[in-house]
Amino acid sequence: MTTVEIDIETARREFRDQLIEAGLLIPMGIDGLFGRGAVFENVIDGIDVAVRRKGQAVHGDSATVLRFPPLFSREAFEGTDYIASFPNLTGSVSTFTGGDREHRDLLEDRAAGNGWDHHLHPAGTMLVSAACHPSYSTLDPQLPPDGRLLDVYGYCFRHEPAIDPARMQAFRMHEYVRVGTPEQAIEHREKWIGHGLEVLAALGLDAEPVAANDPFFGRAGRMLAANQHAENLKTELVIRLYGDLTDGTAVVSSNCHQDHFGTTFTLRTADGEVAHSACVGFGMERIALALFRTHGLDPATWPVSVRAAMTA
Ligand code: ZN
């Protein structure tokens, strides 16, 4: 590692240790998985107040609220194409499907101190990778004239264990999702860049919009990433959690999926065209970390305006 890489890793480790020391995060013995203490959860709830306040100001009561468990069917997962683009981040659920004989084999391996995971088989469920993913297969494929607007909030899983507390394996995302015409999708993506910045500003956070691409896997993925960049489909709102040591941490992401989900989930606009979609996602844990980093570890000492923005 270079000295800069060592400095970055040290800064991340120190921040993680401070959060644990303060009881905000509870280590679970594996990188990137944490329990949350009461103060941390209160902050998450406060951030959600600010997010929903903006959602209400922008969309009124037009958003359909949908909440999903952190699992969904492999069939719906299949429609997201996530396994093609991000196999390395994917999580699937396995369970035991054998009989007595297979159980005996499992117990033998376990008693011998061997791994036993290979005795398990796919359960037909996958962990949710992005909060909006379970929503598409639940929509009536024939959209109403105005399309659909969804308010989705839930836990996401990405297998990328790290020292950096801002790169958790399990975290929450609050999304506003637009499904409709190409124009509606583009407008949603673009407008929420500004709305997202306003939410962060109300929380006293200094963020800047950056054109971005997803970390698509492998050689084919580099093409997808280049296209996403060239077509201006993804903008991240980035906060410098570690000063100039890194390029910053994305806390909000505003994306246009074009006709990707419309095609795979056979969603049609009122005119019979393939639906386009876009979503803005607020990374709740990352925003919380930015608040602790910016305003200190004790929310009672945060600026009055910030606390007001987090109070319903
Ligand atoms: Zn989404």
Side-chain angles (χ1 to χ4, degrees), residues 140-148 179-182 184 267-276:
D140 184 340
Q142 181 59 62
L143 299 172
D146 285 341
R148 294 293 300 274
V179 188
T181 64
Q184 287 168 335
L267 305 171
R268 294 277 180 277
T269 65
D271 295 338
E273 302 292 327
V274 177
H276 283 225

Side-chain angles (χ1 to χ4, degrees), residues 130-209:
C132 65
H133 282 177
S135 64
Y136 302 106
S137 67
T138 69
L139 299 178
D140 184 340
Q142 181 59 62
L143 299 172
D146 285 341
R148 294 293 300 274
L149 181 74
L150 312 174
D151 164 337
V152 189
Y153 185 18
Y155 259 101
C156 307
F157 169 85
R158 293 188 191 168
H159 181 251
E160 39 185 1
I163 297 296
D164 187 358
R167 192 169 291 286
M168 294 187 185
Q169 294 201 56
F171 55 92
R172 279 161 286 188
M173 217 188 261
H174 196 153
E175 295 196 30
Y176 287 97
V177 186
R178 190 81 170 96
V179 188
T181 64
E183 295 74 27
Q184 287 168 335
I186 289 169
E187 185 195 26
H188 184 78
R189 187 198 95 79
E190 288 180 354
K191 282 199 166 165
W192 268 99
I193 297 169
H195 301 327
L197 284 169
E198 286 159 13
V199 170
L200 297 174
L203 297 174
L205 298 175
D206 191 11
E208 65 171 325

Side-chain angles (χ1 to χ4, degrees), residues 237-251:
L237 307 185
V238 170
I239 295 180
R240 290 186 172 273
L241 288 186
Y242 302 106
D244 291 334
L245 283 176
T246 72
D247 291 337
T249 301
V251 299

Side-chain angles (χ1 to χ4, degrees), residues 60-93:
D61 293 325
S62 62
T64 303
V65 174
L66 293 172
R67 301 290 180 262
F68 298 100
L71 298 179
F72 69 139
S73 75
R74 187 174 52 201
E75 192 184 357
F77 175 81
E78 181 59 40
T80 67
D81 284 334
Y82 200 82
I83 194 66
S85 296
F86 311 98
N88 52 324
L89 305 182
T90 296
S92 72
V93 177

